[in-house]
Amino acid sequence: GCLGGEHQQAKQPSSSFAPHQDTHTLTTMEEDNPTSGSGPTIKLTSRSGDSFELPYAAAILSQTVKDAQSCEDDEENENPDDVEIVKVESRCLEKVVEFLVHHLEEPLAEIKTPLEDNTFDGVVKQQFYRDFVKGVDQPMLFDLVTAANFMAIRE
């Protein structure tokens, strides 16, 4: 496998440093799930310096994270490079990581067009994704869309 470098940055380095950097590890509810605990992990660091650890397999849904890796073969990357997501604040990055971790276990089902229904619940069938969107206010939803664009997450 590839031996990863120390640290990669997405775009320019952050000019402000938090006095202390906390690492948050998001674990899944089902500890016996084969995707949790197996394989390498990666840390994504927000603009304010908070780091969030998640399975590398979940993180590579982001093309930005994939592109920041010194190892080009995702299957062989046993030591992925941590990535600074300099345009995303901690609160938003935490929600992005929550989405990525869940998506690894239960991918978002394709939304077929023409739409089957004219309501959100009629179109999005999976409960987690319904709750995920309904659980955030309008400004956070805007920040999540902006973060997904910056991180090149297409789901």
Side-chain angles (χ1 to χ4, degrees), residues 75 96 119:
E75 304 297 315
V96 170
T119 67

Side-chain angles (χ1 to χ4, degrees), residues 38-79:
S38 65
T41 61
I42 186 173
K43 286 181 186 167
L44 304 182
T45 305
S46 70
R47 179 186 310 175
S48 52
D50 292 315
S51 293
F52 300 90
E53 188 170 1
L54 69 156
Y56 178 62
I60 58 173
L61 186 62
S62 165
Q63 190 63 45
T64 301
V65 170
K66 282 179 88 161
D67 291 347
Q69 300 304 306
S70 53
C71 178
E72 293 189 15
D73 185 349
D74 295 325
E75 304 297 315
E76 294 291 316
N77 197 350
E78 295 169 11
N79 188 13

